[in-house]
Amino acid sequence: MKATVNPVDQHVVTLTIEVPAAEVDKGIKQAVKRIANQVNIPGFRKGHAPRRVLEMNFGKEAILEEAFEVLASQNYSAALRENDIIPVSEPEIEREQFEEGKDLIFKATVTKRPEVKLGDYKGLEAEKQDATVSDEQIEEQLNNIREQQAKMVVAEEGATIQKDDFAVIDFAGSVDGKPFDGGEGKSYPLQIGSGSFIPGFEDQLIGAKAGDDVTVKVTFPEDYFVAELAGKEAEFKTHIHDIKRKELPELNDEFAKEASSYETIEELKNDLRKKMEEEASRRAIDTYNAELIQTAVKNATVEIPEVMIEDRVEQMIQELAMNMEGRGLKLDDYMKFSNKTIEDLRSEYKESAAENVRADLVLDAVATEEGIEVTPDDMNREIFIMAQSFGADPKEVWDIIAKEGRVAMLAGSVARKKAARFIIDNAKGAEAAE
């Protein structure tokens, strides 16, 4: 096999690959064997039907097509290895010459992985954030717990609706005097000021009392997710059943007993402080580490092929779809609810996709430059962590990864993590956590 590389542009190359006639003959024999193993021919054991019989049943062209697939795949891979080219796109194959008894000549045009020129990635500096927790933050967290423990009570007789009250209402909406789907509700608890209803609806209930009937007039937003209602004026006949308000418990020992496993409010505060300081410390370390990695990435020079960004965007969309499915939703439903198209999503993801690809390329380059290797122990540790996060058996996780052919992808991810750790450990005055 002989391969000649011709650059098309900064990222794309065309490989002209020549395969000797003798190898072509071997490829045809391989193709005959593969087809024979895939079909049942009466009178012949599977895998033993001769070429002439296969040609009678499927035609000579079918055998040559199979042979070309075999030869092109084998020699394209060999040409990539020989020329140290890592492809980031599927190749466009063009046949130049393919006849039995002659050399095979074909071209493969492919986008190659870009070269990274590393800048400084050792001895970097980043600001260490303050991880202290103030008394005000403790009080804020206590108030959040109070909110969770609050009871809803009916407001005193004669009370009027105020912001943050819950108005228990019946409502019936109409547009041009006609009711519409989804425009009616019974005993609905609406929090005033939550913004959960059409803009302007909640404000018109302020000042009303239990038992009142209020006619609310609003205009649906122009970008409302139901196209038939977008921009339309609507009227809601609204009856107020009750007004309910939050009753917050006092911050005392009794509250601590009901809200936690502690006997006193001081014990609860101490526990909150300890947990919040641990969390603040983790965030400070994560931020410090992330800044070091970002600096190393910014210091490097690399031009990213558009196809790599597009592939990462598609991967991000697939991950979103999987997350939606995990919650019992479909991506199409999410798109309708958010009033977006797939193209909108691609546009939103493009910038972060480019940043992700750039970071991966730089970390890969650091791993190569420093001779970082991924050991079996590294892989086992990663599999164990993944299994824990999914609540699965490590062997099952490994079997799935191996079956889907993602072992190399996982090894690459582990190598990048080790490269990131190298950058962190080699920072100035690094105090990185394991």
Side-chain angles (χ1 to χ4, degrees):
M1 186 272 296
K2 176 186 174 184
T4 305
V5 181
N6 295 302
V8 176
D9 60 31
Q10 182 180 5
H11 300 302
V12 180
V13 295
T14 295
L15 296 101
T16 302
I17 301 170
E18 300 177 39
V19 183
E23 292 299 317
V24 172
D25 290 341
K26 289 181 182 178
I28 292 173
K29 289 178 182 178
Q30 277 186 273
V32 169
K33 189 68 175 175
R34 282 173 63 167
I35 293 174
N37 284 326
Q38 292 168 4
V39 299
N40 290 310
I41 303 292
F44 296 93
R45 284 184 296 149
K46 196 168 187 177
H48 288 76
R51 177 178 175 178
R52 61 181 177 75
V53 174
L54 293 174
E55 287 182 354
M56 288 173 56
N57 282 270
F58 304 104
K60 184 177 180 179
E61 283 302 312
I63 292 174
L64 290 179
E65 283 298 319
E66 184 74 19
F68 181 77
E69 290 294 325
V70 170
L71 291 163
S73 176
Q74 291 175 348
N75 289 280
Y76 168 67
S77 297
L80 292 177
R81 289 193 299 271
E82 185 178 287
N83 292 279
D84 294 324
I85 294 172
I86 301 175
V88 294
S89 70
E90 291 297 320
E92 293 180 12
I93 302 295
E94 180 185 351
R95 300 185 199 186
E96 296 261 311
Q97 175 178 294
F98 181 47
E99 293 181 39
E100 192 167 359
K102 292 185 178 182
D103 292 353
L104 164 64
I105 304 172
F106 70 97
K107 291 182 177 180
T109 301
V110 66
T111 303
K112 64 177 182 175
R113 187 183 184 92
E115 293 183 8
V116 178
K117 183 178 179 182
L118 289 171
D120 291 336
Y121 61 89
K122 291 186 276 191
L124 301 179
E125 291 184 277
E127 185 180 349
K128 294 185 175 71
Q129 293 192 343
D130 185 8
T132 58
V133 176
S134 66
D135 292 339
E136 289 76 12
Q137 289 174 300
I138 302 295
E139 291 300 322
E140 183 181 349
Q141 186 61 26
L142 277 172
N143 285 326
N144 290 339
I145 299 174
R146 282 182 80 200
E147 289 285 340
Q148 295 168 10
Q149 297 292 318
K151 296 177 182 177
M152 297 302 299
V153 296
V154 177
E156 67 275 7
E157 188 175 349
T160 59
I161 295 175
Q162 305 296 326
K163 188 179 178 183
D164 294 329
D165 286 346
F166 282 82
V168 182
I169 62 173
D170 293 341
F171 60 90
S174 61
V175 172
D176 297 329
K178 296 179 180 179
F180 55 88
D181 289 342
E184 185 175 358
K186 298 287 186 182
S187 299
Y188 186 92
L190 174 62
Q191 185 177 17
I192 307 303
S194 64
S196 56
F197 268 29
I198 306 161
F201 188 106
E202 296 163 22
D203 293 341
Q204 295 178 52
L205 298 183
I206 292 176
K209 300 177 182 178
D212 285 355
D213 291 302
V214 180
T215 299
V216 175
K217 296 181 179 180
V218 293
T219 301
F220 283 97
E222 292 292 339
D223 60 350
Y224 194 64
F225 69 95
V226 180
E228 296 79 11
L229 299 176
K232 296 288 183 67
E233 293 183 357
E235 187 175 280
F236 287 84
K237 300 293 185 183
T238 308
H239 176 73
I240 300 164
H241 287 291
D242 282 312
I243 302 169
K244 293 187 176 182
R245 291 175 177 164
K246 286 183 181 179
E247 188 178 79
L248 298 173
E250 290 185 32
L251 288 175
N252 53 28
D253 292 347
E254 197 61 37
F255 166 78
K257 290 175 184 177
E258 291 185 8
S260 69
S261 59
Y262 296 101
E263 293 293 318
T264 68
I265 193 69
E266 284 305 313
E267 289 176 330
L268 176 57
K269 285 182 178 181
N270 291 337
D271 181 66
L272 285 175
R273 184 179 296 278
K274 179 183 176 183
K275 289 177 179 176
M276 291 174 71
E277 285 177 345
E278 289 174 352
E279 179 60 28
S281 178
R282 279 194 294 270
R283 283 198 306 270
I285 291 171
D286 288 345
T287 302
Y288 169 78
N289 292 350
E291 285 185 10
L292 291 172
I293 303 303
Q294 288 167 7
T295 301
V297 172
K298 288 177 183 176
N299 289 344
T301 303
V302 58
E303 293 294 329
I304 305 172
E306 191 65 24
V307 67
M308 293 188 77
I309 299 173
E310 291 171 358
D311 287 348
R312 183 60 60 92
V313 167
E314 292 305 316
Q315 181 183 331
M316 292 167 74
I317 291 174
Q318 290 174 14
E319 289 171 356
L320 175 63
M322 290 174 63
N323 288 335
M324 291 291 108
E325 289 176 10
R327 301 176 192 174
L329 301 172
K330 292 183 178 178
L331 181 60
D332 287 345
D333 295 335
Y334 167 78
M335 301 300 289
K336 289 176 184 176
F337 180 77
S338 58
N339 199 28
K340 294 178 182 177
T341 65
I342 286 292
E343 286 308 314
D344 292 334
L345 212 55
R346 289 194 178 101
S347 179
E348 288 178 14
Y349 283 169
K350 189 168 184 178
E351 185 176 347
S352 58
E355 291 173 358
N356 291 345
V357 171
R358 180 181 174 86
D360 282 356
L361 288 170
V362 172
L363 289 173
D364 283 338
V366 171
T368 300
E369 183 69 19
E370 296 298 330
I372 291 172
E373 296 181 352
V374 177
T375 67
D377 283 346
D378 293 330
M379 293 289 280
N380 289 337
R381 189 179 298 110
E382 189 72 8
I383 291 290
F384 182 76
I385 292 170
M386 291 174 66
Q388 278 192 316
S389 65
F390 293 126
D393 180 81
K395 186 179 183 304
E396 291 177 0
V397 173
W398 172 256
D399 289 343
I400 291 171
I401 290 171
K403 184 179 179 182
E404 295 181 354
R406 292 192 288 128
V407 174
M409 190 183 300
L410 180 64
S413 175
V414 174
R416 286 189 288 275
K417 288 183 179 181
K418 293 185 75 172
R421 172 52 56 188
F422 179 89
I423 293 169
I424 294 162
D425 288 345
N426 285 274
K428 283 186 180 178
E431 295 176 5
E434 286 296 330

